[in-house]
Amino acid sequence: MERHPVRRARSVRIALAEASGRTLAGPLRALENVPPFARSRVDGYAVILTDVAGASREHPARLRVSGDVPMGAPAPGPIKPGTAVRVPTGGAMPDFADGAVMIEDTVESGGYVDVFDAAEADVNLTETGADLKAGDPLFDAGTVLTPAKIGLLAGAGIAEIDAYARPRVALLLTGDELAAPGAPMRSGEIRDINRYSLAAALAAAGFEPVAYDRVPDELAAYEAAFARAIAECDAVVISGGSSAGERDYTPAVVAAAGSPGVVVHHIKMKPGRPTLLGMIGDKPIVGLPGNPVSAFVMLHVVGFPVLLRMLDRRPDAVPIRAVLSQEIAVTPALEHRIPVRLRFAGGEIIAEPLIGTSAQMRILGFADALITVPLGAGRIPAGAVVDATPMVASGVSP
Ligand code: AMP
Ligand code: MG
């Protein structure tokens, strides 16, 4: 898939207040110095350090109080030797004031203040631009804006950003047996899980899932649904119909829809062996098996790496190093992804494997992360240290 060019989402200008979870479409630099002026870090007095050097209880430094710095306003003027200016936390330091003393270390009366301790006066202020200088590089294109990053941008004077538009990802659900939660069910029908789990995962990862009517297991109807989805959206994710059964039309429909068509079909992975990856022009196609565990896991393992290229992103979930609670024994002929529940006990992170079939959504519903059993390994002993990769959670890290 790597050699096939994937369409890049277009760039849109959005207000900072709308930017949480969005992906930057270009690099960002600080617009202003942060802080924009030298600020006191304490409630107290702005001073000249040489005036208060060595001040103590026994030998306080006495200074004339020459004025106040109001919050949100400039200092009244430069400080003069032998004087102090009242300043609140975050207030502007007067020019030539190179120290600030805490009110707790002073006593004021009759227009004079006695300073008893000035040992930390030099660090009780923040210089102009100490946090960021105007023009400092902040983030590159492809960065997902977390709440803390949004705070940093606000502080740096940035009101609007260029973000990638959320790529529209069509979600096609195939299967005559599917009934929506809440709808009456005939014998032989099952609840449609993937419509909900896949849409939620796509939305959390920064895409706009576009839902379509269920696709019947009938070739002409499937072809028509796919044609509409590929015309209306930037990418297509299909649930079900990707294996080799008589009514598994995904490979034929994708192959006939355009070029290059099917790029990968069948991967040596469990769950999700019959997964299909394709391209129609520059639009990626992810054909997932219908089993809900396979569909969800394969969306993460093989779907997101392709889909995220539209946002200039790569999967970047940082694995959590954990101790395996019990042995895993599987066939070495495939690479396996095993859902695990993580818990903290005895100073360690414990990964408890959740074993079941790929139809049992319960095993994913209680899982926090996935671990990998590499092709050819077949076994991981209890007590082994494993890397558990979290599944998409907050919209920032599939
Ligand atoms: P398929 O890949 O179409 O052969 O489907 C494999 C299995 O997954 C079958 O047992 C289907 O009933 C089941 N399945 C397919 N789609 C869904 C869905 N949206 N939700 C829950 N189960 C599904
Ligand atoms: Mg099916």
Side-chain angles (χ1 to χ4, degrees), residues 16 21-22 59 83 85 95 112 116 120 140 144 156 184 195 205 212 235 258 281 289 315 363:
L16 190 63
R22 302 297 293 265
H59 303 287
T83 71
V85 179
D95 283 350
Y112 285 84
F116 302 118
E120 298 198 336
D140 293 328
V144 177
R195 176 181 293 276
Y212 287 86
I363 70 170

Side-chain angles (χ1 to χ4, degrees), residues 268-281:
K268 284 196 162 169
M269 279 192 199
K270 198 173 177 185
R273 210 172 174 182
T275 300
L276 176 152
L277 291 173
M279 297 291 305
I280 304 294

Side-chain angles (χ1 to χ4, degrees), residues 172-225:
L172 293 183
L173 288 300
T174 73
D176 289 338
E177 70 280 24
L178 303 179
M185 266 204 303
R186 291 200 312 255
S187 169
E189 291 185 339
I190 55 159
R191 294 297 180 203
D192 183 355
I193 292 176
N194 299 341
R195 176 181 293 276
Y196 302 89
S197 57
L198 301 181
L202 286 166
F207 302 96
E208 181 189 332
V210 181
Y212 287 86
D213 287 347
R214 185 180 57 74
V215 181
D217 289 324
E218 196 263 302
L219 184 58
Y222 191 160
E223 280 174 336

